[in-house]
Amino acid sequence: MGFEIWYAAIGIAILLKTVVSIFLGRRDDLETFQKSAQIFFVWLVPFFGAIGLWLLNRSQDTPVRA
């Protein structure tokens, strides 16, 4: 039973990292080096890197109301 949980966690991590990598790769406001560095960071740091960079870049898309 313990191995199924690890497989699920690894599967979710890979799916999350893939989605965030595609999200970062499609952004037009980042330079090539920035995209590469952020995607590398997403794959280097599990969960926190992917979620943190996704939230950081997503927050730049939403307009700030005064």
Side-chain angles (χ1 to χ4, degrees):
M1 173 131 186
F3 288 115
E4 291 85 12
I5 294 172
W6 283 108
Y7 289 144
I10 290 171
I12 290 170
I14 290 172
L15 180 66
L16 177 66
K17 290 175 185 222
T18 303
V19 169
V20 173
S21 296
I22 292 170
F23 171 75
L24 290 172
R26 298 182 75 196
R27 292 191 60 89
D28 294 332
D29 60 337
L30 296 176
E31 296 176 10
T32 305
F33 177 75
Q34 289 176 323
K35 287 181 187 181
S36 302
Q38 288 186 10
I39 290 172
F40 177 73
F41 187 74
V42 164
W43 286 94
L44 182 68
V45 180
F47 289 111
F48 299 112
I51 293 170
L53 285 173
W54 177 67
L55 290 174
L56 174 74
N57 285 297
R58 196 177 123 228
S59 69
Q60 294 177 358
D61 289 342
T62 56
V64 178
R65 294 182 181 177

